[in-house]
Amino acid sequence: MALERTFSIIKPDATRRNLTGAINAKFEEAGLRIVAQKRIHLTKAQAGVFYAVHAERPFYDELCEFMASEPIVAQVLEGENAIAKNREVMGATNPADAAAGTIRAEFAESVGENSVHGSDAPETAAVEIAYFFSGLELVG
Ligand code: RTP
Ligand code: MG
């Protein structure tokens, strides 16, 4: 399979606990290359646009508050089958359901504050990468 790119966020609960390096090590061990990365502090409105797909869900407001509470690390990961591989390394949304050794099993604090985001399909990966990075920032 050809190289694929996915969009990843290291969420505020993880940046707050200095877990950026430990999480990046998990990605790299799984064969995912970090081809772009920046630490930014989203506004609540920017977080709301990013998670607009969840606008009708009961946890939406809390999720946007959380994502804007402290800095995040936005990333583009590249590798074979990168979207599925990243989701595998992340583990299930709820850390209680996440397989041993996954990022969420090891680091997540709750279903909401679950340390990482990863795109769920090629279409969403393309939209999410373009929301955070310009072409000039994607060196491959
Ligand atoms: P993500 O989009 O962040 O990669 O996570 P995901 O695909 O595993 O989960 P998704 O269903 O897309 O939910 C997005 C994020 O919303 C928060 N959430 N909170 N309190 C709750 O019940 C609840 N459910 C979801 C989590 O931060 C989740 O990652
Ligand atoms: Mg999702």
Side-chain angles (χ1 to χ4, degrees), residues 51 54 87 117-118 120:
Y51 273 126
H54 295 308
R87 302 275 302 182
H117 160 82
D120 56 15

Side-chain angles (χ1 to χ4, degrees), residues 25-104:
K26 294 269 195 196
F27 293 144
E28 292 185 332
E29 280 160 18
L32 292 165
R33 183 184 303 278
I34 302 158
V35 296
Q37 176 167 261
K38 60 186 169 190
R39 182 175 163 93
I40 48 178
H41 196 152
L42 292 175
T43 64
K44 189 177 173 185
Q46 289 167 337
V49 170
F50 178 71
Y51 273 126
V53 66
H54 295 308
E56 303 306 321
R57 307 282 285 276
F59 58 79
Y60 179 65
D61 191 65
E62 188 185 357
L63 175 61
C64 297
E65 285 275 357
F66 165 60
M67 292 300 288
S69 64
E70 284 179 78
I72 62 164
V73 175
Q75 314 175 296
V76 180
L77 308 179
E78 184 179 86
E80 293 209 358
N81 214 9
I83 295 170
K85 189 177 285 182
N86 181 39
R87 302 275 302 182
E88 199 180 304
V89 176
M90 285 163 56
T93 309
N94 186 341
D97 303 327
T102 61
I103 291 169
R104 284 166 166 167

